[in-house]
Amino acid sequence: MVVLRIRSSHKRKCMFICLCIAVFIVYRHLDLSRAGQGTSRKVGLSANSSQFTLEGEPFRILGGSIHYFRVPRAYWRDRLMKMKACGINTLTTYVPWSLHQPQRGVFNFHTQLDLEAYINLAAELGLWVILRPGPYISSELDLGGLPSWLLQDRSMRVRTTYPGFTEAVNTYFDKLIPNLVPLQYKKGGPIIAVQVENEYGSFAKDEGYMHFIKEALQSRGISELLLTSDNHNTLKSGGVDGAIRTLKLQKVNQRDVQDLKAIQPNRPTMVMDYRTGWYDVWGDLHHVLPPEDMVSTVREILRRGMSVNLYMFHGGSSFGFMSGGLAEPSYKAFVPSYDYDAPLSEAGAYTQKYHLLRDLLSQFNNGDIFPDMPVLQHREAYESAITYQHLSLWDALSFTEGPFKSVKPVNMENLPANNRNGQSYGYTLYETTITSGGLLKSGDNVKDRALVFVNRSYIGLFKRQNMELAVPDGKGLQTLSLLVENCGRVHRGRDLDKQRKGLVGDIFLNSIPLQDFTIYSLEMKPGFIDSLYQAPWKALPETPTFPSFFMGQLFAYGYPSDTFVKLPGWEKGVVFINGINLGRYWSIGPQQTLYLPGPFLNSGINQIVVFEEQEGDYKVNFEDTPDLGMAADVQ
């Protein structure tokens, strides 16, 4: 027998080499199996033939939209894993300028708005990414995702080459785009394409605008495939040279597809927004698209060899005041839920659409095995919270920003609030003194609703269909107050420049314009809600005054679960949990519950604050199922 004696130094070298080989094999495996982690890429997504290619190989985009800003960050991984398990290979997301730059010179790319982390997570889970950075995105957001401080400029012309707008876009892109350049496909990242603006064909006020946006992206280092997205009748006016055109639709029409192919022959055909459902507005019904209709349309798209992106795959929630409004045929505001009747529900639950879609996509998966479907989160019907404390709006005014003095009314955007960036969302209170009663006329200068008070007693409501109020006579000087709510700037249309809120002009009493206003900004940010804990709350009286804040407590022992807030007997207002704005509620529906994600709760005591405008039941219910209202099929 021959015994080999290996010196310890050689032994350590051998072990080190073996370890290096093992590490190389593991990382090589991850490199090959994960989208977004390649290191030797030269040819990205290409549209130079009738079919997309990626790294020179045929590639079909099976995309789905999930917006990071509508999903609690703690649930990003869960939602993307469910997307991957359904057979989707590409994540698409809009980027909301209004949230990332709430004030001039103030940028937010952290926590809930950490876009880089979201894209890297998609890569980790094996998803490619199509980025839609705007600057305008629509998406049923207030002002289509444009920041409201743009409207401080009375001459502003958004979505054009007006210098005030292009300068603002350049400043924003200087912050946004450099963070995204390293995440592109040819640099080893998951971003395979970038959309230039959004459905500009329906706006099309400036022939040079789309070229400006394209150059703004490319000059900052965007080098992957560019695309545009429009409805079939605006494809020509919405495109730009050097970017492939794509369609938005809800049903496949042969003529629409032929029109697209005629505009760009020998190029891939893609439905960039196949609408899996629809949005909801206050005072209407909850819109749904039958599952069989969705699946048959997706099947037809795939049968034709086209690529597709599902808008939405998972809608999530428009927390806070980010929801916009609908301009036509008449103004209506969007509800906070962005469930969209999508394959994944607002709370991330599997729907019939999800299961049918997963079965369908399994037929087009080239033999790949889909990951297992993640287990659903537990949902809890917590014990109702009884509001036990009460704070009148008038007693909360000392905690607001202001007051501001002005001879004439000042619209929200031009108030000297938020470091002179104006007020974006929420309510604004305008107060002045009057010496007599009479006929009060708004002249359509109230945007969008106003509760009217004399000496802090409610006398009536101004809204778009109600522009006159009788003011009772009184003795001596009286205080006239108008609590004006921005219900949401419209998200699309050719009048975005005119979407100023608050009092946008004179209010007349007996044909004489009112003057000398004291103005309070009630944007209701988390800091304001937190500050209210120091306010002079009182025990809930038998007949509380309105508008008021009501406080209660939710007890969630152990690991908090998702739940749904329901407020039967309350009229209209806003719900805050631990300072987080869940969104508006309104008795007119259709939405009857607000989604409360478990990550928003603490184990133990949670503070609930309800701002109610007119009538309260003083009890907050928590249910384990959502109620989005009476349903009607999308027409």
Side-chain angles (χ1 to χ4, degrees):
M1 178 185 291
V2 178
V3 178
L4 294 178
R5 298 183 181 275
I6 302 175
R7 287 185 298 183
S8 60
S9 60
H10 288 171
K11 190 174 182 179
R12 284 195 298 271
K13 284 183 180 179
C14 290
M15 291 176 65
F16 178 76
I17 292 170
C18 291
L19 180 62
C20 288
I21 292 172
V23 169
F24 172 80
I25 291 172
V26 169
Y27 274 89
R28 179 60 176 163
H29 172 73
L30 289 173
D31 182 67
L32 293 173
S33 64
R34 293 193 321 200
Q37 300 300 314
T39 55
S40 59
R41 301 169 177 170
K42 297 179 181 178
V43 184
L45 186 67
S46 175
N48 293 325
S49 64
S50 60
Q51 188 175 13
F52 285 114
T53 60
L54 185 62
E55 203 62 38
E57 297 294 326
F59 181 74
R60 190 207 298 261
I61 298 168
L62 300 174
S65 290
I66 302 180
H67 299 151
Y68 58 101
F69 51 93
R70 283 185 162 120
V71 178
R73 180 167 179 166
Y75 283 160
W76 285 356
R77 179 178 293 273
D78 172 80
R79 305 307 194 250
L80 295 188
M81 287 176 66
K82 289 172 178 171
M83 169 181 274
K84 182 73 174 176
C86 194
I88 300 294
N89 62 25
T90 304
L91 165 70
T92 72
T93 184
Y94 284 127
V95 181
W97 182 6
S98 54
L99 302 184
H100 284 296
Q101 192 184 1
Q103 299 178 25
R104 292 182 191 82
V106 176
F107 297 90
N108 183 359
F109 294 98
H110 306 292
T111 58
Q112 184 64 48
L113 295 174
D114 192 340
L115 178 57
E116 288 180 77
Y118 187 63
I119 294 172
N120 281 320
L121 175 59
E124 177 191 332
L125 298 177
L127 291 164
W128 303 112
V129 174
I130 295 178
L131 202 67
R132 311 172 83 175
Y136 165 84
I137 62 173
S138 181
S139 191
E140 288 69 63
L141 290 183
D142 183 286
L143 206 61
L146 298 175
S148 64
W149 48 258
L150 290 169
L151 301 180
Q152 288 187 325
D153 180 352
R154 290 288 177 183
S155 302
M156 176 56 66
R157 290 185 293 122
V158 300
R159 305 183 75 191
T160 72
T161 52
Y162 172 70
F165 186 71
T166 57
E167 289 168 10
V169 170
N170 282 326
T171 299
Y172 170 54
F173 274 8
D174 282 344
K175 287 287 186 179
L176 172 69
I177 303 303
N179 296 330
L180 306 176
V181 167
L183 301 174
Q184 295 180 101
Y185 176 86
K186 290 191 287 291
K187 295 183 180 294
I191 298 175
I192 56 174
V194 176
Q195 183 174 301
V196 183
E197 234 259 3
N198 189 45
E199 52 189 353
Y200 194 68
S202 60
F203 192 80
K205 284 189 174 182
D206 189 326
E207 290 185 2
Y209 175 69
M210 288 294 282
H211 179 74
F212 159 71
I213 297 296
K214 175 193 163 190
E215 290 299 311
L217 294 168
Q218 291 182 327
S219 65
R220 289 168 175 82
I222 295 298
S223 58
E224 301 298 338
L225 180 72
L226 298 180
L227 53 86
T228 59
S229 181
D230 288 279
N231 295 312
H232 68 94
N233 57 344
T234 59
L235 279 168
K236 286 186 179 179
S237 52
V240 63
D241 289 344
I244 185 173
R245 290 167 167 84
T246 65
L247 274 170
K248 295 173 179 276
L249 54 78
Q250 197 149 43
K251 291 183 179 179
V252 176
N253 182 298
Q254 179 64 25
R255 182 175 177 181
D256 297 345
V257 177
Q258 288 175 343
D259 288 347
L260 177 58
K261 289 183 175 180
I263 292 173
Q264 51 181 31
N266 302 315
R267 291 291 182 269
T269 307
M270 179 173 181
V271 179
M272 186 60 194
D273 284 331
Y274 167 63
R275 303 182 183 103
T276 61
W278 202 240
Y279 49 70
D280 293 338
V281 295
W282 289 115
D284 206 337
L285 297 172
H286 170 50
H287 293 99
V288 299
L289 180 70
E292 56 273 17
D293 289 5
M294 184 206 77
V295 173
S296 64
T297 302
V298 175
R299 181 184 292 112
E300 178 65 12
I301 290 170
L302 298 180
R303 187 188 66 79
R304 291 169 178 261
M306 301 162 67
S307 285
V308 66
N309 174 61
L310 304 176
Y311 188 98
M312 300 290 296
F313 180 80
H314 168 58
S317 306
S318 299
F319 295 113
F321 294 131
M322 76 169 85
S323 288
L326 189 66
E328 298 174 350
S330 61
Y331 175 85
K332 289 187 177 180
F334 295 120
V335 303
S337 170
Y338 204 63
D339 177 87
Y340 214 84
D341 195 36
L344 270 187
S345 77
E346 179 178 16
Y350 301 117
T351 67
Q352 185 182 359
K353 285 183 177 178
Y354 182 96
H355 294 293
L356 292 173
L357 183 66
R358 191 172 193 257
D359 289 342
L360 175 64
L361 295 182
S362 67
Q363 302 168 28
F364 295 86
N365 68 348
N366 298 320
D368 293 339
I369 299 175
F370 293 172
D372 291 337
M373 293 163 52
V375 176
L376 292 176
Q377 286 90 7
H378 176 68
R379 298 190 299 201
E380 183 75 33
Y382 290 106
E383 186 176 342
S384 296
I386 308 299
T387 56
Y388 61 95
Q389 285 191 298
H390 167 261
L391 178 68
S392 164
L393 169 69
W394 319 110
D395 291 334
L397 292 180
S398 61
F399 296 87
T400 66
E401 185 170 358
F404 310 113
K405 303 286 187 178
S406 176
V407 174
K408 296 175 71 65
V410 180
N411 58 285
M412 287 175 62
E413 297 79 7
N414 286 92
L415 288 173
N418 296 314
N419 299 317
R420 308 196 73 80
N421 283 275
Q423 181 181 341
S424 295
Y425 311 110
Y427 299 78
T428 310
L429 181 69
Y430 298 81
E431 291 195 327
T432 186
T433 54
I434 56 175
T435 57
S436 68
L439 187 62
L440 191 68
K441 292 187 177 182
S442 69
D444 198 27
N445 288 326
V446 171
K447 304 296 181 188
D448 298 293
R449 282 174 97 251
L451 303 175
V452 185
F453 307 83
V454 171
N455 290 339
R456 298 181 172 176
S457 294
Y458 177 72
I459 64 165
L461 175 70
F462 274 139
K463 55 184 179 180
R464 290 170 186 264
Q465 298 82 16
N466 178 23
M467 302 181 191
E468 294 185 359
L469 278 178
V471 178
D473 287 323
K475 296 180 179 179
L477 293 177
Q478 299 185 93
T479 299
L480 178 73
S481 306
L482 295 95
L483 180 64
V484 185
E485 179 190 8
N486 165 15
C487 296
R489 300 176 185 86
V490 302
H491 73 125
R492 60 174 299 166
R494 298 177 69 86
D495 292 327
L496 292 176
D497 307 320
K498 301 175 183 177
Q499 290 301 304
R500 294 174 180 87
K501 297 296 184 179
L503 294 185
V504 299
D506 285 324
I507 304 297
F508 298 87
L509 179 61
N510 301 324
S511 302
I512 299 172
L514 297 174
Q515 294 188 336
D516 298 323
F517 286 89
T518 301
I519 307 172
Y520 299 85
S521 172
L522 280 153
E523 199 156 1
M524 300 194 185
K525 294 179 178 179
F528 166 73
I529 299 300
D530 290 343
S531 73
L532 290 186
Y533 295 129
Q534 310 303 317
W537 292 83
K538 298 173 183 176
L540 186 66
E542 283 192 24
T543 55
T545 58
F546 293 92
S548 286
F549 296 89
F550 297 82
M551 185 186 293
Q553 292 183 337
L554 162 64
F555 295 90
Y557 294 112
Y559 191 81
S561 300
D562 288 0
T563 189
F564 299 90
V565 180
K566 194 164 190 176
L567 297 121
W570 301 75
E571 179 60 26
K572 186 179 189 303
V574 191
V575 178
F576 303 86
I577 301 286
N578 297 327
I580 300 171
N581 186 338
L582 293 187
R584 298 177 175 92
Y585 64 90
W586 197 354
S587 62
I588 65 172
Q591 184 175 350
Q592 299 296 324
T593 56
L594 290 170
Y595 174 48
L596 171 51
F600 288 4
L601 295 172
N602 304 316
S603 179
I605 297 175
N606 296 271
Q607 296 291 347
I608 305 165
V609 173
V610 180
F611 175 69
E612 167 58 50
E613 296 180 14
Q614 292 184 284
E615 180 182 355
D617 181 62
Y618 322 130
K619 184 170 72 172
V620 181
N621 296 336
F622 301 95
E623 303 190 350
D624 57 7
T625 54
D627 181 357
L628 297 178
M630 185 179 296
D633 287 356
V634 175
Q635 300 298 316

